[in-house]
Amino acid sequence: MTDVSKNEYASDESPTTDVHRVGPTLPVLSDIATGAVQSPTPTVERFVNHFLRELNFGQGVLLSRSTINDQYIALAKTVRKYMMADWLDTGAKRREGGTKTVGYLSAEYLLGRQLSNALLATDLQDIAADALRECGIDIADLRAQEIEPGLGNGGLGRLAACFIDSLATMDVPCIGYGIRYEYGIFRQTFEDNRQVEVPDSWLSLGSPWEFPHPERQVRVDFGGRTEQYTDDEGRERSRWIPGWNVLGIPYHQMVPGFRNHTVNTLRLWSAKATQAFDLQIFNSGDYAEAVRAQTFAENISKVLYPEDSTPQGKELRLQQQYFFVACSLHDFIENTLPQDFDLHHLPERIVFQLNDTHPVIAIPELMRILVDIKGFDWDDAWDITRQCFAYTCHTLLPEALEVWSVELMGKLLPRHLEIIYRINKNFLEEVAEAFAGDEMRIRRMSIISEHPERSVRMAYLATIGSSKVNGVAELHSQLLRDKVLPDFSGYWPDKFTNVTNGVTPRRFVFLANRKLSDLVTDAIGDGWVTDLEQFKKLEPFADDPNFRQQFAQVKQANKERLYNLLKARDGLDLPRDAMLDVMVKRLHEYKRQSLKLLHIVSMYDGIISGRVSTESVVPRTFVFGAKAAPGYHIAKETIFLINSVAQTINADERVKNVMSVAFPANYNVTLAEKLIPAADLSEQISLAGKEASGTGNMKFALNGALTIGTDDGANVEIRELVGDDNFFLFGMDEPQVEELRAKGYDPESYYQSNENLRATIDLLASGHFTGGDRRLAAQFVDNLRTQDPFMALADYQSYLDAQARVDEAYRDSDAWTRMAILNVARTGFFSSDRSMRDYRERIWNV
Ligand code: 26V
């Protein structure tokens, strides 16, 4: 045991540390690459020493004077040290190996907290906890100190984080490229039941996980014009004369694999003004203007756009997209490949995966690099480019498909616009030839749309410029082929494929649900952590009463943990023994939080009107978590109404002990890790054909919640795997939705013909939940009765019937537990390791 009381600060000469120092007094080793640097074997004593050194010499404080933040930073930097040798080794191995790398291009990474994940990956959890205990510190307090980097909106950003975790765990060479937003997704608070957005200053207390490399800055050009000229060989060429530029500074983060000594890199770009940029203005004597210019440049990576469905066509957003893409391509071609690399062989060394259309400007950018800078012929360059990209589509909502106005594109990226026009021209000539001048088809397939204004359809550009296009669940990929890109899938049937999403079992089972992990590992060993299909071995345990009892105890313990957290965090007092019914996801009309609200109000109305006795109901606690885009009016009204309903119900003695509603603010990855393991029921109730996949649905099933859901996204595959008996299906399927839409959907007819629905809506409209003010619920109610674009009323009765089946099933708690175990046992397919294998085999050929 290290006596920390005697010698409070660590000696810098400590013999227990043996990290090599490279400096003037030491010969530089051949290079650290080949395993020359080894992290010292971790022991509690060494860990204490490292930690204290970080505290004393890194933070410059004595343990006795240190704040929790000092301690957190020192701990993070200590853990980081243990990954360093593996990181350097992995980098060297990649450079020497000459293998193909995956360049994951994503405008978002919703990483969640890093400390716990790093401790898990390095297997240092116990040692670190013991070491800190010796210093009189509870590691839990330090874990809680970390502000999660919320550099994403929701599903798409979290998927990127799961994917890079899996690639590291599978030792696949991958560089994640993205944007280091200074402000991530806003922090949500509630005032008078309404959402208020607070800036997310996640960097304010320092960020120990990133490594800035200002010396590796990349210049990015914007604006200006193009110029035609004839080159030395007499070829007609175009050159870009940019109007202004900014610098991209890379910040590197480690992406550790699970206990496999692989550490990949996530490279996020931060924008900075170039010197030329402000020198000019400085020299003209206008100091203030120069500083303003700096702000202008640095705005590019200032903030994550919090909309995730309706692109606003904002100039700054296009700047962000081009900024990170240009930096990333430059970084790979100039700094990652060997100096003399022949770019004709580029597809052997890189495949850029386009996470939705946000990075699609990379396609004309690579063309520009090859043609304008490297002097390639157009056709050669195009052949190379198409092999280097693959595109994943993450949506089905037509309004979410990105388009950029030609005017804006021409102003910001004139050369890229030219390149896009030429790609389009060549492509349409090909189509005209194949379809004998079918004018309508040519117009439909053009990258440029003419209405409502001339604009560039990024999904079309992505499809034409990629070797593969995939959707994110079977149903979604089929709808993508049939509805979103039918002309393209007809033209290139083999280009289209599906890769069903997945989630990382490390974070969402092992870390988030330690108790379940221990129980499972006792039963089937720990191989599941990197081979989740092994969950299948749990199936027989569903019939073991002893196992069921332990499983139920785990669930109960997770609920207690959640309720304690919600009590401390939000002052919420929740009953300990009710069914926990959870709906967490972004607030969107298509996801239908409105339908969930109708269910809650119906249940409440049933009780207070005396139609249903409290003795006969299955007690439920409803939990919502959802952020609304700040400009999405109806979504914000829905939040207001959920909070109002929660307030009323929680205060109503008539439903005490049988109903409670909680809406903890600021749902994020950190809260998800506590909420999901506690849930009994997972709400996945989008209108069929709208949710591309969903990934929360997978996390819940893997943690032993049963799903009530529509036939949508990956719900379809979850149900197929767990079986109809272990899934509560309701609502129209996608063809039925289409049929009803074609017939003409009239929400009012459902209101008129369904008595319970009418009572529910009337109660909402009455002002009962809004302090008597009818106006406050009016928009929500009117929207449902007159528009109901996502057909909540059409699915209402079916949903309530399914909820009745849920109640029935829950009454037999042992049978319920059995179903829950089967959900866990049968959903191992949804590991992001499996998704990555699919990409590797069907898309990347790495
Ligand atoms: C779109 C936009 C539009 C412009 C403004 C900023 C912005 C930011 C993000 C997005 C992406 C929306 C698409 C998305 O998040 N899709 C979700 O992807 C998940 C992972 O594949 C999937 O599980 C969800 O079903 C799908 O909605």
Side-chain angles (χ1 to χ4, degrees), residues 636-662:
K636 292 181 108 173
E637 286 300 307
T638 307
I639 287 181
F640 168 73
L641 211 53
I642 295 171
N643 274 327
S644 304
V645 167
Q647 202 173 33
T648 307
I649 289 182
N650 295 343
D652 193 329
E653 286 295 323
R654 293 170 293 182
V655 294
K656 199 175 163 68
N657 298 325
V658 292
M659 284 186 81
S660 8
V661 185

Side-chain angles (χ1 to χ4, degrees), residues 470-727:
N470 76 287
V472 289
E474 290 288 352
L475 174 66
H476 174 233
S477 295
Q478 198 53 49
L479 293 171
L480 188 63
R481 277 184 278 243
D482 296 347
K483 303 260 159 93
V484 185
L485 300 167
D487 290 316
F488 294 92
S489 66
Y491 190 53
W492 286 308
D494 295 340
K495 196 185 264 209
F496 287 73
T497 187
N498 170 251
V499 178
T500 298
N501 282 167
V503 302
T504 172
R506 270 73 63 188
R507 180 175 292 266
F508 289 106
V509 183
F510 202 167
L511 262 186
N513 201 342
R514 200 47 189 263
K515 291 203 157 66
L516 181 65
S517 300
D518 289 347
L519 179 63
V520 168
T521 298
D522 277 350
I524 64 168
D526 64 3
W528 60 270
V529 180
T530 51
D531 177 14
L532 204 58
E533 293 278 5
Q534 289 192 25
F535 268 8
K536 282 218 174 78
K537 294 193 228 162
L538 285 171
E539 253 195 81
F541 289 90
D543 294 317
D544 174 347
N546 185 38
F547 188 85
R548 283 203 299 270
Q549 192 196 354
Q550 292 178 54
F551 189 95
Q553 281 166 358
V554 166
K555 188 56 86 182
Q556 188 57 34
N558 290 337
K559 285 188 191 176
E560 305 273 342
R561 177 180 72 159
L562 174 71
Y563 296 147
N564 291 337
L565 175 81
L566 293 181
K567 173 82 188 150
R569 215 189 86 126
D570 305 77
L572 292 166
D573 258 317
L574 297 170
R576 306 268 136 173
D577 39 16
M579 180 204 305
L580 184 62
D581 175 339
V582 182
M583 181 163 190
V584 286
K585 49 189 79 250
R586 283 297 287 255
L587 212 138
H588 266 290
E589 286 170 281
Y590 83 80
K591 292 176 188 280
R592 302 200 293 192
Q593 279 90 355
S594 54
L595 181 57
K596 179 76 247 159
L597 195 60
L598 290 179
H599 168 232
I600 294 171
V601 174
S602 294
M603 180 175 170
Y604 173 72
D605 179 53
I607 298 170
I608 62 168
S609 68
R611 271 184 287 123
V612 181
S613 74
T614 48
E615 292 76 50
S616 70
V617 303
V618 176
R620 283 209 202 198
T621 296
F622 302 93
V623 177
F624 287 90
K627 290 180 184 178
Y632 190 171
H633 181 72
I634 191 77
K636 292 181 108 173
E637 286 300 307
T638 307
I639 287 181
F640 168 73
L641 211 53
I642 295 171
N643 274 327
S644 304
V645 167
Q647 202 173 33
T648 307
I649 289 182
N650 295 343
D652 193 329
E653 286 295 323
R654 293 170 293 182
V655 294
K656 199 175 163 68
N657 298 325
V658 292
M659 284 186 81
S660 8
V661 185
F663 193 164
N666 201 40
Y667 176 66
N668 59 8
V669 178
T670 305
L671 186 54
E673 288 167 11
K674 295 288 184 296
L675 251 168
I676 293 170
D680 294 308
L681 187 65
S682 156
E683 299 275 351
Q684 309 299 336
I685 62 178
S686 52
L687 177 64
K690 299 296 174 192
E691 188 69 273
S693 160
T695 46
N697 47 3
M698 302 167 185
K699 295 166 196 165
F700 279 103
L702 284 165
N703 280 281
L706 302 193
T707 306
I708 183 165
T710 48
D711 233 329
D712 201 14
N715 295 355
V716 178
E717 289 155 78
I718 293 176
R719 185 170 59 85
E720 275 165 9
L721 284 165
V722 305
D724 285 327
D725 295 346
N726 303 302
F727 187 105

Side-chain angles (χ1 to χ4, degrees), residues 108 153 155-156 159 305 307-311 317 356 358 394-395 400 402 472 501 590-591 691-695:
E108 304 190 6
N153 271 287
L156 167 133
L159 189 77
Y305 274 91
E307 288 84 31
D308 70 343
S309 65
T310 38
R317 176 138 174 107
D356 218 288
H358 319 149
H394 293 266
T395 192
E402 269 189 315
V472 289
N501 282 167
Y590 83 80
K591 292 176 188 280
E691 188 69 273
S693 160
T695 46

Side-chain angles (χ1 to χ4, degrees), residues 341-554:
F341 188 81
D342 175 1
L343 290 175
H344 287 96
H345 295 283
L346 191 58
E348 293 159 32
R349 299 298 287 271
I350 187 77
V351 53
F352 289 111
Q353 188 67 38
L354 302 165
N355 200 23
D356 218 288
T357 52
H358 319 149
V360 166
I361 197 70
I363 292 172
E365 171 66 0
L366 183 56
M367 285 301 287
R368 187 186 71 83
I369 293 171
L370 294 175
V371 174
D372 293 5
I373 302 177
K374 308 288 180 184
F376 280 46
D377 283 338
W378 179 275
D379 291 343
D380 290 348
W382 183 235
D383 190 45
I384 294 166
T385 297
R386 293 175 99 174
Q387 293 180 65
C388 286
F389 289 99
Y391 160 54
T392 307
C393 175
H394 293 266
T395 192
L396 279 164
L397 303 180
E399 68 270 24
L401 291 174
E402 269 189 315
V403 294
W404 290 107
S405 85
V406 161
E407 190 199 325
L408 177 58
M409 183 85 74
K411 184 177 126 198
L412 207 61
L413 300 167
R415 178 57 184 142
H416 295 77
L417 182 60
E418 252 175 36
I419 292 172
I420 292 167
Y421 273 133
R422 180 147 171 206
I423 293 171
N424 197 39
K425 176 172 168 288
N426 294 352
F427 172 66
L428 294 181
E429 280 169 10
E430 197 183 307
V431 174
E433 202 163 305
F435 295 93
D438 179 346
E439 258 312 311
M440 285 312 286
R441 182 183 301 265
I442 292 170
R443 215 171 297 167
R444 282 201 310 268
M445 293 180 84
S446 174
I447 297 173
I448 308 297
S449 87
E450 301 293 336
H451 301 286
E453 64 177 333
R454 250 184 163 218
S455 44
V456 182
R457 298 193 264 223
M458 301 306 272
Y460 290 14
L461 176 58
T463 302
I464 295 165
S466 292
S467 54
K468 290 280 176 186
V469 176
N470 76 287
V472 289
E474 290 288 352
L475 174 66
H476 174 233
S477 295
Q478 198 53 49
L479 293 171
L480 188 63
R481 277 184 278 243
D482 296 347
K483 303 260 159 93
V484 185
L485 300 167
D487 290 316
F488 294 92
S489 66
Y491 190 53
W492 286 308
D494 295 340
K495 196 185 264 209
F496 287 73
T497 187
N498 170 251
V499 178
T500 298
N501 282 167
V503 302
T504 172
R506 270 73 63 188
R507 180 175 292 266
F508 289 106
V509 183
F510 202 167
L511 262 186
N513 201 342
R514 200 47 189 263
K515 291 203 157 66
L516 181 65
S517 300
D518 289 347
L519 179 63
V520 168
T521 298
D522 277 350
I524 64 168
D526 64 3
W528 60 270
V529 180
T530 51
D531 177 14
L532 204 58
E533 293 278 5
Q534 289 192 25
F535 268 8
K536 282 218 174 78
K537 294 193 228 162
L538 285 171
E539 253 195 81
F541 289 90
D543 294 317
D544 174 347
N546 185 38
F547 188 85
R548 283 203 299 270
Q549 192 196 354
Q550 292 178 54
F551 189 95
Q553 281 166 358
V554 166

